[in-house]
Amino acid sequence: VLDVDTATLIAEEFSFTVENRGFDLTDYVPDQESTDEDLEPRPPVVTIMGHVDHGKTSLLDYIRKTKVAAGEAGGITQHIGAYMVEGNNGRVTFLDTPGHEAFTAMRARGADVTDIVILVVAADDGVMPQTTEAISHAREAGVPIIVAINKIDKPNARLDMVLNQLAERGLTPEEWGGDTIVCKVSAHTGAGIDQLIEMLALQSDVLELKANYRRPARGVVIESQLDKGRGPVATVLINDGVLKVGDYVVSGTAFGRVRALNDFAGRRIQSAGPAEPVEVLGLSGVANASEPLYVVEDEKKARTIVNHRQMKEREKQLVRPVRASLQDLFQQIQAGETEQLKIILKADVQGSVEALTAALKEIHHADVELKIIHEGVGGITDSDINLASASNAIVIGFNVRTEASAKAIADQEGVNIKIYNVIYDVLDDVKKGMEGLLEPTIEEKDLGRAEIREVFSTPKAGNIAGCMVLSGSVRRGGLARLYRDNVRIWEGKIGSLRRFKNDAREVQEGYECGIGLDGYNDIKVGDIIETFERIEVAQRIN
Ligand code: GDP
């Protein structure tokens, strides 16, 4: 498949013109610009982050119970991913999934819904590793932070210590002459929580958060499930516009006509506006979290979009996304595509983190700025990979390993992980990457395993191994090794491959075949043949 630009260039060489009749989403979902007059203030959307046990859940629970249940008939009967509270200065929407992992996982999938981060720090415990992590994640996303020092009811609360630690991390409190809003709260007694909500509402004025209340809605799915009685139910946070019962909507490959809308407290409503979380009923399938949802004119348009997406999805399974790598960095610099090399650094001990950070900061380049967006002690986690994916960063590990689930996400997202155990090598690779001097490395990929069950002597082809393919497949012409009692005794090529009397190109797991090893005859029953291929990779060592 050629992209439009390439096709146009080639066609021009032969004096033809190309007319792009491709799919363009804006043909179906008009991206109407909102003028200043259309825009009105909207509530802020808030995510709570912080170290484990510092009180994120307690704070969300307290606010939900006291600020929602008191005012709304019946209160929230079931959990729906987000809720709104009414303060004296306006409404505030809270995302009910705390933590920077959820926040960055959504960003990695393209959903930036949070306007303000509340960083919870326990007054008795102070700034801890996940506090620092949350700061990095919020900063990288460019989302302002309001600090809530929690557990001030505890006798061992140490406010000055916490303020000090915050200042050290660039979050200088207003009371110390800085510009970070710090609220002192207790999720147990409720102290300071009204003030926190006021601060959030006020901050939304400062940030000039606005939306158009007259256009068709756009939103983001924050949760989605198949409900036995009600069918697919998606919780959607409206970004802009108003969603109404009867609207045709599309989200990913799910579509449909809105049959009913419920607000966060479970009440039937006819429409939902900007920053409102709403349950949408009537979709054809379960939508994916983080996927945008928008209103389209009619069912035909909805179907066209979905058909196109299903086709694209099939195509996409064949290619994986390409993200930043040291190998490609130089090309990107030359093409003027990148001015920054973003790095996430994880190391075994704080000393290595500091040594590496200091040394990396010494590397300068005329055209590219090196930026460490997050550093920390410990293995490489899902949240590191999500941050890398959201920010197009590479991940450097020093004497640490990558968690299995993180490795899987990295593979899927095309995130580059490099593991080192010598500081010099890290610096050398980064420098070489900047200068375009990294050599590609060769990686081996296992293809299959076969066991020799019988040996046939043929006059022309020598000894042929009658095999059973135990896993994967065996290909004619492919590379192979022969093992006897787990010891490698030969390496070369698969010379011939037959199934029954016929030549075969490839034989799959579970089938018998005859294998002739190229120029090698000393085979025995019980030997194992392993096949593999060598691929040149742009320096990705996982
Ligand atoms: P999370 O891991 O950040 O969600 O923290 P939790 O909300 O689960 O709280 C951890 C522990 O701290 C629980 O035992 C809470 O009861 C307790 N806790 C939370 N907030 C406060 C508070 O304001 N004061 C006191 N004394 N304890 C609190």
Side-chain angles (χ1 to χ4, degrees):
V1 177
L2 295 182
D3 59 42
V4 177
D5 289 344
T6 315
T8 308
L9 276 175
I10 295 170
E12 272 169 5
E13 283 290 308
F14 296 95
S15 311
F16 287 95
T17 35
V18 167
E19 188 185 333
N20 180 8
R21 297 291 291 271
F23 179 88
D24 188 349
L25 191 65
T26 54
D27 292 347
Y28 299 88
V29 187
D31 193 16
Q32 67 186 65
E33 288 280 319
S34 298
T35 60
D36 278 353
E37 295 131 50
D38 302 327
L39 295 175
E40 290 168 52
R42 67 163 174 86
V45 179
V46 177
T47 295
I48 298 191
M49 298 183 187
H51 195 71
V52 63
D53 281 346
H54 279 198
K56 298 179 292 292
T57 315
S58 307
L59 204 57
L60 276 165
D61 286 348
Y62 183 89
I63 296 172
R64 190 188 321 105
K65 280 197 198 104
T66 56
K67 304 298 161 193
V68 179
E72 319 276 350
I76 298 181
T77 47
Q78 70 195 81
H79 165 94
I80 78 149
Y83 60 83
M84 285 186 109
V85 303
E86 183 87 47
N88 292 331
N89 291 301
R91 293 187 299 170
V92 177
T93 302
F94 286 87
L95 290 178
D96 218 354
T97 324
H100 58 269
E101 295 86 356
F103 169 84
T104 298
M106 279 189 87
R107 282 191 61 228
R109 286 182 245 134
D112 283 306
V113 292
T114 303
D115 300 306
I116 303 172
V117 162
I118 298 184
L119 181 70
V120 176
V121 188
D124 57 340
D125 205 19
V127 170
M128 296 301 278
Q130 285 166 285
T131 322
T132 317
E133 234 175 276
I135 297 172
S136 302
H137 284 236
R139 281 212 175 118
E140 178 52 26
V143 178
I145 298 173
I146 289 186
V147 178
I149 303 184
N150 189 33
K151 308 198 187 183
I152 53 163
D153 58 293
K154 284 194 144 184
N156 55 344
R158 293 160 66 198
L159 289 173
D160 271 345
M161 170 195 77
V162 181
L163 293 175
N164 217 337
Q165 292 173 329
L166 289 167
E168 275 169 14
R169 283 159 184 84
L171 294 172
T172 311
E174 282 182 326
E175 61 188 272
W176 285 16
D179 51 14
T180 303
I181 300 172
V182 176
C183 299
K184 293 155 192 168
V185 304
S186 164
H188 274 189
T189 66
I193 289 182
D194 282 337
Q195 188 220 354
L196 174 65
I197 294 171
E198 295 323 318
M199 280 302 169
L200 293 165
L202 291 175
Q203 200 57 22
S204 110
D205 285 343
V206 175
L207 297 172
E208 295 186 29
L209 302 176
K210 288 183 175 168
N212 186 343
Y213 285 71
R214 277 180 293 273
R215 56 167 291 164
R218 282 158 185 276
V220 173
V221 175
I222 51 176
E223 269 183 8
S224 173
Q225 72 198 57
L226 191 61
D227 186 290
K228 267 192 201 132
R230 302 184 295 168
V233 180
T235 304
V236 175
L237 183 75
I238 309 291
N239 293 134
D240 201 10
V242 175
L243 183 64
K244 301 189 191 78
V245 172
D247 279 347
Y248 287 99
V249 291
V250 176
S251 178
T253 53
F255 69 102
R257 190 168 194 189
V258 177
R259 195 169 72 231
L261 294 175
N262 296 320
D263 74 359
F264 57 89
R267 294 168 305 189
R268 274 291 148 94
I269 48 174
Q270 289 304 308
S271 66
E276 277 186 52
V278 62
E279 265 191 353
V280 178
L281 276 68
L283 283 171
S284 60
V286 178
N288 287 326
S290 309
E291 191 85 57
L293 170 140
Y294 31 73
V295 171
V296 291
E297 229 166 81
D298 53 39
E299 181 164 345
K300 190 161 169 250
K301 286 198 168 154
R303 278 186 191 279
T304 314
I305 296 172
V306 168
N307 287 342
H308 172 76
R309 287 193 170 158
Q310 283 168 339
M311 190 186 77
K312 278 278 166 203
E313 243 168 46
R314 285 193 290 272
E315 274 175 22
K316 213 173 81 187
Q317 281 167 355
L318 304 174
V319 252
R320 68 176 185 177
V322 185
R323 307 241 189 246
S325 74
L326 283 179
Q327 183 70 32
D328 301 335
L329 181 67
F330 183 65
Q331 282 166 357
Q332 289 173 3
I333 297 170
Q334 286 204 317
E337 281 167 17
T338 192
E339 280 145 20
Q340 275 190 339
L341 168 61
K342 293 185 183 175
I343 292 177
I344 292 172
L345 179 67
K346 295 301 284 288
D348 50 352
V349 291
Q350 188 59 28
S352 330
V353 174
E354 279 161 20
L356 274 163
T357 317
L360 284 168
K361 282 187 179 149
E362 288 301 306
I363 299 179
H364 296 287
H365 188 277
D367 302 317
V368 61
E369 177 202 1
L370 192 147
K371 193 174 168 198
I372 300 173
I373 62 169
H374 176 63
E375 67 214 31
V377 173
I380 295 163
T381 62
D382 294 8
S383 113
D384 294 325
I385 302 298
N386 280 323
L387 181 62
S389 163
S391 314
N392 202 23
I394 63 168
V395 182
I396 291 181
F398 185 75
N399 281 336
V400 295
R401 65 184 283 272
T402 309
E403 287 177 8
S405 57
K407 201 176 265 180
I409 306 177
D411 276 348
Q412 192 187 332
E413 296 293 323
V415 170
N416 245 275
I417 305 175
K418 299 191 54 119
I419 304 286
Y420 299 88
N421 43 35
V422 178
I423 291 193
Y424 172 81
D425 291 343
V426 180
L427 305 176
D428 197 44
D429 268 13
V430 169
K431 279 186 207 149
K432 282 188 179 153
M434 285 174 152
E435 283 152 19
L437 298 174
L438 274 186
E439 302 286 331
T441 52
I442 305 292
E443 225 173 58
E444 274 186 18
K445 191 173 153 213
D446 293 337
L447 296 177
R449 257 161 69 89
E451 186 186 309
I452 303 184
R453 302 258 165 105
E454 241 178 298
V455 175
F456 307 99
S457 299
T458 63
K460 271 197 222 148
N463 285 348
I464 295 294
C467 293
M468 168 58 98
V469 183
L470 301 176
S471 67
S473 71
V474 176
R475 282 183 211 157
R476 180 152 37 103
L479 298 169
R481 293 193 181 102
L482 182 72
Y483 292 88
R484 190 166 298 159
D485 302 324
N486 289 324
V487 175
R488 194 189 73 171
I489 52 176
W490 173 86
E491 181 175 324
K493 266 190 185 167
I494 306 272
S496 66
L497 183 65
R498 286 195 154 193
R499 221 170 116 66
F500 301 114
K501 295 258 172 295
N502 304 319
D503 277 339
R505 204 207 287 258
E506 185 171 3
V507 177
Q508 300 286 343
E509 170 179 341
Y511 290 97
E512 291 180 332
C513 59
I515 297 176
L517 298 179
D518 194 25
Y520 193 76
N521 277 316
D522 177 22
I523 52 174
K524 286 206 168 75
V525 171
D527 288 354
I528 297 285
I529 297 172
E530 281 191 358
T531 61
F532 61 97
E533 67 181 349
R534 290 203 174 100
I535 30 183
E536 204 174 77
V537 284
Q539 289 249 6
R540 65 176 37 245
I541 306 161
N542 289 343

